Every structure is written in C-alpha cells, then in structure tokens.
Amino acid sequence: MTSLGTVVAANAIRFLGHDTHQHDEPHLIYVVTGTARLLADGEEWQLGRQEAVWLAPRVPHALRIEPGGMALGPTLNPADLPRCRVQPLGAVPAVVEVMTTTLGAAPSTTEEIQPFRQALGRVLRGISRRYFPVVLPVHPVVRALAREALRAPTATLERLAAQHRMSPRQVQRVFIDETGLPFTRWRNRARMNAAVEHLRGGGELTAAARAAGYATRAGLLRALSRESGVPVSALTADAVGALGGR
C-alpha cells in the first residue's frame, strides 16, 4: 500500500485483513476503476468508478474492491473535515481531476504528497458548504430514518416510518421539533444541497440532478428555484453563479 493509501485488487484482502480500522485524520475513499463496497460507521455504500466518500477522523471503515478495480485512500489535512461523519460525494468532476492528477504524478514523499493534499482540501471545502441549512434530527431512530431517506430518495415517509416502527405523525413531529422543517422539505433541502455540491465541483445540471435523486434536470431546476427564489432562467444559464457560489 503506498503512502497515498492506494488499494488495488491484489491487496484488497490485506486492506480488510485487519479488523475494521480508522484514521486520526479525515480521509477520502475514491474509486479509480471498477466498483467497491464501503462499510463505514456500521452502514454500507456501493461505490462506482470515480465516486468518493469523505470520512471524518476516527470513523471505523473497511473497503472491499471488486476484482480488477482500484481505489485511492488519501488522508487529508486535519482542518478538512466533512459536514458529517460519513459524507458521500458521488462523482464530482473537480475531485476526479485532482485524483487523476495525483495518480499520474504518483507522489511518494511527504513533500511531494502535500501539494496534492492541499489541492484536494481546497476542492472539498469549496463544494461542502451547505447552501440550504439542514440539520440531522437528534432522536436516534429518526436520525437513522433521515439517513436512509437520503439514500433512498423515492421512499415514502409512510414506508420509512413503518420500517422504523414509528407512525408518520411521530416522525413529522420529531422533524419539526428538532430540525424546524417538516420531513418532505427537510429531505428536499438535503437533496438540493447534494446537487449544489455537484455543481460547485464542476458538474453539469443533468449529472447534478441524477446525483441528488431527481429524475430530470428540469425537476431539479424547479426545486432549486422554489427554495432559493432564484428564477429558473438564471439557474439554467449559470446555476453556481446564480446561487452565489463563485
């Protein structure tokens, strides 16, 4: 394993040979080719080519890479912290560019690695600022439900509540009390934040809509316009600029 934390299929078992491990610094998991399964903080993510997950310090995690695949796992500077303990990023063009450049340069010493680590930190800080304020509920069951709602954007409140043995009314009450928002608006804001992250990282509207769970770019534009008050025409012309992201 290189000092950048590169993991290839040949040593995937070695990567998982320890019990689930953790790092004292923030950490990025980035799939170069193929697919991988990430277990982090007791939850599972399936990652495809060029997809990334940003981990906070001391998050227990393990990665299984499918045969023929390759991943990079650079640690980050201590100040480059994700918004939550495990922050899925999807495939963000600006992250892809930095990681591709890093892979090509193959830095091996601390001095060689640091400029790439700094560049990656700048990109991550730039895309991770929340545009729409949202907070996770404190209630442990509703907090788990909220995380599942973001992984399954088409799941209804009724279905999610039933899976967690709560009534929709109970869930709604907790969301309003602890986040200030009803469930649907909370999820819509969180999804739009994911889309804005993608756009700030250089992604196109269609890809941002897909990353955030919207069926079409038009659906994303209408949602952004309703929540932000910015006209659809301005968002279509320059979504990041119209949202004040430049």
Side-chain angles (χ1 to χ4, degrees):
M1 197 175 296
T2 74
S3 56
L4 272 177
T6 304
V7 184
V8 297
N11 63 7
I13 300 301
R14 178 177 156 196
F15 184 82
L16 287 174
H18 320 288
D19 291 331
T20 300
H21 63 285
Q22 54 189 278
H23 303 277
D24 291 332
E25 305 86 7
H27 182 50
L28 192 76
I29 301 290
Y30 173 80
V31 177
V32 180
T33 58
T35 59
R37 179 170 62 93
L38 173 68
L39 299 174
D41 245 8
E43 299 187 66
E44 179 176 323
W45 282 264
Q46 296 291 335
L47 303 178
R49 177 176 174 269
Q50 297 184 339
E51 292 187 331
V53 175
W54 189 3
L55 303 178
R58 295 175 291 283
V59 170
H61 64 280
L63 188 72
R64 170 72 65 186
I65 303 171
E66 296 301 319
M70 178 180 179
L72 298 177
T75 54
L76 306 169
N77 290 325
D80 294 331
L81 298 170
R83 287 196 312 263
C84 51
R85 284 175 59 80
V86 181
Q87 184 177 343
L89 298 176
V92 178
V95 173
V96 174
E97 181 179 359
V98 173
M99 298 306 289
T100 300
T101 304
T102 303
L103 185 63
S108 58
T109 67
T110 301
E111 292 74 17
E112 291 172 345
I113 290 169
Q114 191 58 23
F116 295 97
R117 183 174 289 152
Q118 290 172 342
L120 184 57
R122 285 194 297 271
V123 168
L124 293 172
R125 292 192 302 273
I127 67 176
S128 68
R129 299 188 307 275
R130 280 194 180 106
Y131 187 81
F132 301 105
V134 290
V135 296
L136 277 171
V138 176
H139 187 290
V141 177
V142 179
R143 191 181 185 92
L145 182 151
R147 286 174 169 160
E148 186 175 343
L150 297 181
R151 293 197 300 270
T154 60
T156 64
L157 173 58
E158 289 72 20
R159 179 184 130 195
L160 291 166
Q163 287 175 345
H164 290 269
R165 299 182 180 179
M166 295 183 70
S167 72
R169 181 173 294 182
Q170 287 176 305
V171 174
Q172 285 282 27
R173 185 168 61 247
V174 173
F175 264 94
I176 291 171
D177 288 347
E178 296 188 359
T179 75
L181 299 170
F183 169 79
T184 298
R185 190 174 182 197
W186 180 93
R187 178 158 68 175
N188 285 342
R189 278 191 165 201
R191 291 170 65 198
M192 284 185 278
N193 279 336
V196 172
E197 278 183 359
H198 200 86
L199 292 168
R200 284 174 173 163
E204 300 295 330
L205 277 166
T206 300
R210 187 166 56 249
Y214 287 88
T216 64
R217 60 179 269 162
L220 170 61
L221 287 168
R222 288 194 297 270
L224 285 171
S225 181
R226 281 194 303 269
E227 196 66 34
S228 68
V230 177
V232 169
S233 57
L235 292 167
T236 303
D238 179 7
V240 176
L243 293 171
R246 296 208 186 281

